[in-house]
Amino acid sequence: MRKLNPTESLLNLTKPGSAEPSTNSVSRWRLQISGVVQGVGFRPFLHNLAGQLNVNGWVRNTSLGVELEVQGSTPDLERFVSCLQNDPPPLARILELESTSIPVVINQPAGLEIRPSHSQSGRTLVSPDVATCAQCRREVFDRADRRYHYPFTNCTHCGPRFTIIVNLPYDRPYTTMAGFPLCPDCAREYQDPTDRRFHAQPVACPKCGPTLWYTPVGVPPEVSDNTPTGDAALASAVSCMEGDGVVALQGLGGFHLACRADSRVAINRLRTSKKRPAKPLAVMMRDVGEVAEYCQVSPAETALLAAPEAPILLLRKRTDAAARQLAPEIAPQNGYIGVMLPYTPLHHLLLQAAVAPLVMTSGNRQGEPLCIDHDEARAGLSPYCDGFLFHNRPIARRCDDSVMFVAHLIPHQSDGRHQDDGRYRPDSPQPVIQPIRRSRGLAPLPVLLPKTVTLTVPLLAAGADLKNVPALAIQRQVFLTQHIGDLENLKAREEHIRAIADFEQFFRIQPQVVVCDLHPDYASSRHARQRAETEGLPLLEVQHHHAHLAACLAENDRVGPAIGLSFDGTGYGTDGHIWGSEVVLTDLRDFQRFYHLEYLPLPGGDAATRRPYRIALAYLRTLLPDFEVNPLFPDVPDWELSTLEVMLAQNLNTPLTSSMGRLFDAVSALLGLCWEATHEAQAAIALEDAALNSEFSGPGYEFDLADGQIRLASLFAQLVVDRQNGVAVPDIARRFHRTIGEMSVAVAKAVRARAEDKERRVNQVALSGGVWQNRLLLEMVVPMLQAADFEVLLHHTVPANDGGLAYGQVAVAAARLTDSHFDS
């Protein structure tokens, strides 16, 4: 048996014992193909390709992938394999192809027979859900088509996959479409190898498929004679939203709460009822043309909006006089809007009927996972909405929308023409996609480890407690689950456990090692430790910022060493303090810490992140003890100032932190931008928003490097003077961003110099951690590092935030297990 890479040609495979074959000799090969090869039109593609090349035999789905036996002349078989490797269906991804030469079958019938699926012990990849293709969109809006206005139209090139699969192999009986028998017309399409719906498992039409209906809040969800269905249901939902109402809409991977994006009444009501006063709301717009009326859109962003993954994309707001405006409550104190295009026929129909873009925010109670069934939605979402747009295609698992942004990086010019102030110049940017949340459209596709790193045993990585995404890994494949979210809530923790069990079943992976964060109190780590103890499995603990940087290295196919700048909000350090500005020399196995922000007090611990002014006061008191803080904080009552003084003096519930995220919080509060935060990164987002409105292009504030720490007294002293002298807040904000850029270059140079003292040349800098999802900062810093002759490594597959942490945990574990020669 031979194993091929997808780019390798398959040559000279004939039946056993053959010598050099003649061009007319008949051969028979068994091919086993793994990858994303189910639910993407792969078998009909093979059927049609075989007919074109005079190749005969059979093909079937297995739980390992796709298996086929093909017979024909050797040149025809070679062309057949070359075509399937080099020009597969658009959504297919071939990871591996195994071939075996077997005896020729006498009287082989003509054609490639598609046989029933076969269960095996093994693993195949599951396709993500895919946005509606152009052909299906045309049918939905074609009055002459039998699927006109049918909200569940799909084919082998688009539609639900991951969220309807119950088990493998991917066949209709193992999906949530099992309860919808095909009508004669759909059955003909399903059975016709020349039709694009051939073996499209979710295929349906108005005669035989799922139904849409609308019910007001308080009305039972069952369909009655008076229940609006189909187009009438759509009209009822649109009418509700036109009257400033909110509709809970059942989608692919859960419910959305939808309302008009220009209705301040509806948005404020939604924010009040969900207790979500400031967190940005995603908006769905009809098409790219409409997006351009509200946002700045580059060619790379246009392409990503319309991609099959259809993510939410963070786009810069237009502020010119000709721009159309959404309700300001969509994204207050935020320079960006999260925009997505319709990705299901239902969305397309809604947006065609609506007179404005629609808010589409997650349908869940605060802190809980998405609602996915009718009872759950009625119980959880009724306080937030006026009506429900239900359907009866069950959702097998929750899957929230993916979120991304595109950084436009200006390459450094060695001739001195380059300006590194981070301003967008459309003549020369290099677009780099930055994932923020990896979920719908991407999960559950695997992310590969570097070519030189292979796991010797399967393992489970628990991820972090914020933006939780656990992972299962085997060999070089890392299967990150869909986005779970923050694990503060019991139901979220239950969803974390459920997603792990789901992936274990899907991918036939039984972990033999468990990996978790070093933090002693993470819920994800507690579960990992409990499972390791219960099952008698080895446990590896990985420091938070090392995992961040390992993820960045691994997805760039690097193993290190590299200089790492891991800037984020919080991570448990090896010294027991709260880290978050780690400047290290790292590889996948280990790291050495060289610099960090000086440790500063965090009064109240994590609770201080909800009141950034307390962080600012604590930092000022520590760094500038003689400075009179009261004039800058006139609204803070004396009793609270006194309490903070006592906490700082007596070290009461005041852990030390080196967090870069907390530095952003402190500066934001000091500038009066965000005193109290109701969602993560709110203060930092407000600071970036202010900086986007500045033309400042001078140097940053001063700072000092001493004894492995970045000293901040000079920075705060200068910043306070600017504040007292009435310097515009946007200019101070932008100068602060510039300071972080200069700081990044300075520490990277210092680490490079110390490495060179030991006769090591390290010229790569990896950037990871949630702070690097500040687009202005990233676009400013990368050219500055490049100008200092560094190669900059960025995330592009997994998020720089904690959503990519499990991948980094796997990478560290793989390197350490290889070193230890761990053997199951």
Side-chain angles (χ1 to χ4, degrees), residues 449-450 453 459 478 547 550-551 554 588-589 806-816:
L449 291 171
V453 177
L459 62 80
V478 183
L588 295 187
R589 295 169 182 81
Y807 176 67
Q809 291 171 346
V810 171
V812 172
R816 291 181 180 173

Side-chain angles (χ1 to χ4, degrees), residues 532-543:
E533 182 178 356
T534 301
E535 299 181 15
L537 301 177
L539 176 74
L540 292 179
E541 296 181 332
V542 179
Q543 199 280 324

Side-chain angles (χ1 to χ4, degrees), residues 441-462:
L442 295 167
L445 293 177
V447 181
L448 297 181
L449 291 171
K451 296 182 182 67
T452 58
V453 177
T454 300
L455 280 166
T456 55
V457 292
L459 62 80
L460 162 67

Side-chain angles (χ1 to χ4, degrees), residues 149 212-215 226-239 389:
H149 274 205
L212 185 74
W213 69 93
Y214 177 84
T215 62
N226 298 321
T227 302
T229 61
D231 281 351
L234 281 167
S236 297
V238 170
S239 175
L389 197 55

Side-chain angles (χ1 to χ4, degrees), residues 651-664:
N651 194 28
L652 296 174
N653 190 24
T654 304
L656 296 177
T657 181
S658 64
S659 167
M660 183 66 75
R662 300 295 78 80
L663 176 60
F664 273 75

Side-chain angles (χ1 to χ4, degrees), residues 572-620:
Y572 190 77
T574 56
D575 58 2
H577 294 316
I578 302 170
W579 290 9
S581 60
E582 309 318 303
V583 182
V584 303
L585 189 63
T586 186
D587 58 21
L588 295 187
R589 295 169 182 81
D590 209 347
F591 69 97
Q592 181 182 359
R593 192 186 194 201
F594 280 84
Y595 292 99
H596 58 85
L597 293 179
E598 63 180 295
Y599 284 125
L600 291 168
L602 193 63
D606 286 343
T609 62
R610 295 188 287 273
R611 292 179 172 82
Y613 68 89
R614 291 187 175 182
I615 303 174
L617 284 165
Y619 282 19
L620 286 173

Side-chain angles (χ1 to χ4, degrees), residues 247-251 254-258 340 343 347 360-363 401:
V247 172
L249 163 72
Q250 187 175 359
F255 279 77
H256 280 117
L257 291 167
M340 58 181 157
Y343 57 84
H347 293 148
M360 286 280 181
T361 192
S362 300
D401 297 312

